[in-house]
Amino acid sequence: MKSRYIASLSLAVMACGFIATLFLPHTWWTELLKGGFEAGLVGGIADWFAVTALFRHPLGIPIPHTSLLLRNKNRIVQSLVSAMENELLNKESIESKLQKWNLFRAAINKLNVLMGRKSVRRTVADVAIGLVTRLPLERFVPLIRSGLAAFVRQLDLKQAADSLVTRALTDGYDAKALDYVLGEAGGWAARPETQALLGRIASEKINEVKLGGFMGFAIQAFAGFMDEEKLGSVLQNMLLSALRDLQQEDNVHREKLLRELRVQLFQLVDDETRLDRIKEWAIALAEGEAGERFLLERLEDLRRLALDMLEAERSSGGRRLFAAYSAVVRHLSRDADLIAAWEARLTAYIIHLVETNHYRIGQLVKENVDQMDDASLVRMLEEKVGKDLQWIRVNGALCGFIVGIALTLIQL
């Protein structure tokens, strides 16, 4: 039974009891009950009037100093806002609490628990897949193009080329590049079709030779003796032998080739006109449509690679993701100063948010109360505190009954 019904029942009991004593024989105990019920009825009615006057006009009659909550709504709201801002949720108390909490460590501990669950890691992978899939790569292309063009414009290409060439020669990349070229050339020269090509070219060039005398006779005799297949085989073996010799580190011709390669590289570095043309070409490529298509294609390649990795990670339950997270956490746990610095930054940031947005607490309370009509406000307050107020009515009736009996005993 609701407290309101209990309060009304207590008032009804006092009224019925008082009426009943009016028809009973006049004895000392009926006078005693009459005095108790009479005082209980007066107390119950007084408390009913007092409780009702807080929320509305009793019996709908606009008696002065009733419906107190609605008449003083603005003052009550302002008092509530002031109490929340200055006493219950003042900035100093919030900041004091934040200073005592280790927010960063608490967040790390919570993440450790969450990341230990396979379902959470799969959810993280799903979220990452969605984000990567929806990334508008075409919006990044202009930014990358402008950044590349600006970088090339301000780049000292001569100094960069000189440093690059010097580093390459110091690390022996000139010899590695030559060996790579010789290896590729050797692979090409060893092919059967290369032998046929060399024989055909040699035969054609021999037939084009126009010499008289003994020299012409000798060449014609050699051409008649050697067909295309034999010429190709001879030239192929000579070419492969030469390539193998050039791959020997103590080969004289190899040293000449490397020396010439280095000279050409340094001449290129010193040729400012050619470097300027290269720079202009790079800028035009970055800003042109071809550069835009190239960048977009490369970004799409990166997106596909990232999606493949995330799909594999999701299928495996996020093992690599958890391993990467664990590695980061272990690294952080070994650096106490870094954790303390991040803790201080996080706390300072939250305190700054509290300081700049503290007024919104009271503002939010006021806005929510202003949006409620009078009936809704009264109903809300009665639901929150009405129960205790109704018990005041019950207590008033009971106390009045007891006091009435006591006063009647004194009179008797």
Side-chain angles (χ1 to χ4, degrees), residues 18 25 42 44 64 114 123 143 150 186-187 220 234 284 316 322 373 382 390:
F18 175 71
V42 172
L114 293 176
T123 302
L143 297 175
Q220 291 300 323
V234 171
S316 65
F322 183 71
D373 55 27
E382 283 185 325
Q390 296 301 327

Side-chain angles (χ1 to χ4, degrees), residues 369-393:
V369 173
D370 290 341
Q371 290 175 0
M372 301 176 66
D373 55 27
D374 292 346
S376 300
L377 178 61
V378 169
R379 183 167 58 253
M380 182 194 72
L381 292 175
E382 283 185 325
E383 290 176 355
K384 300 301 181 183
V385 299
K387 180 178 180 180
D388 294 330
L389 293 177
Q390 296 301 327
W391 280 105
I392 291 177
R393 293 174 54 189

Side-chain angles (χ1 to χ4, degrees), residues 109-125 313-314 316-319 321-323 325-326:
N109 293 334
K110 185 62 177 179
L111 280 176
N112 289 338
V113 175
L114 293 176
M115 291 301 293
R117 301 173 183 171
K118 184 182 293 186
S119 59
V120 173
R121 298 197 297 270
R122 284 180 172 170
T123 302
V124 172
E313 195 64 18
R314 186 188 184 283
S316 65
R319 290 196 299 266
L321 182 64
F322 183 71
Y325 172 78
S326 300

Side-chain angles (χ1 to χ4, degrees), residues 145 148-161 268 271-288:
R145 287 172 58 198
L148 286 175
F151 174 76
V152 174
R153 284 193 180 93
Q154 60 87 31
L155 178 65
D156 187 349
L157 194 57
K158 185 178 185 306
Q159 181 180 359
L268 175 62
D271 191 348
E272 295 184 1
T273 303
R274 186 177 297 179
L275 290 177
D276 289 339
R277 286 201 299 267
I278 294 175
K279 192 172 185 178
E280 292 173 359
W281 171 81
I283 293 173
L285 179 63
E287 295 179 340

Side-chain angles (χ1 to χ4, degrees), residues 48-238:
W48 165 83
F49 183 90
V51 171
T52 303
L54 288 173
F55 301 101
R56 58 181 62 85
H57 296 299
L59 301 177
I61 302 173
I63 302 172
H65 304 294
T66 58
S67 187
L68 300 178
L69 291 176
L70 296 181
R71 290 180 59 189
N72 298 277
K73 177 180 176 181
N74 292 332
R75 188 168 61 184
I76 293 173
V77 170
Q78 292 297 333
S79 299
L80 179 61
V81 170
S82 177
M84 293 188 67
E85 290 182 347
N86 301 319
E87 297 177 19
L88 301 178
L89 293 175
N90 59 75
K91 290 189 291 186
E92 290 75 15
S93 64
I94 296 176
E95 292 175 5
S96 176
K97 283 291 184 183
L98 290 174
Q99 293 286 359
K100 296 178 181 178
W101 293 345
N102 294 323
L103 298 176
F104 184 75
R105 290 182 176 85
I108 291 295
N109 293 334
K110 185 62 177 179
L111 280 176
N112 289 338
V113 175
L114 293 176
M115 291 301 293
R117 301 173 183 171
K118 184 182 293 186
S119 59
V120 173
R121 298 197 297 270
R122 284 180 172 170
T123 302
V124 172
D126 287 336
V127 172
I129 289 172
L131 291 176
V132 174
T133 303
R134 292 191 294 270
L135 273 178
L137 299 181
E138 61 278 359
R139 295 185 180 180
F140 296 113
V141 172
L143 297 175
I144 298 175
R145 287 172 58 198
S146 60
L148 286 175
F151 174 76
V152 174
R153 284 193 180 93
Q154 60 87 31
L155 178 65
D156 187 349
L157 194 57
K158 185 178 185 306
Q159 181 180 359
D162 184 68
S163 300
L164 181 62
V165 170
T166 302
R167 181 62 181 272
L169 297 181
T170 303
D171 294 342
Y173 283 104
D174 53 342
K176 294 177 182 178
L178 179 60
D179 288 335
Y180 174 78
V181 172
L182 294 175
E184 292 295 317
W188 173 81
R191 297 174 184 173
E193 57 268 23
T194 303
Q195 177 182 341
L197 177 63
L198 292 174
R200 186 167 56 253
I201 293 174
S203 178
E204 291 175 357
K205 294 306 178 182
I206 290 175
N207 291 330
E208 292 177 0
V209 174
K210 303 297 182 183
L211 292 174
F214 182 76
M215 182 64 70
F217 174 77
I219 291 177
Q220 291 300 323
F222 177 78
F225 177 75
M226 300 290 289
D227 57 9
E228 289 186 4
E229 182 178 356
K230 291 179 180 180
L231 286 172
S233 177
V234 171
L235 292 175
Q236 185 182 47
N237 290 330
M238 292 174 60

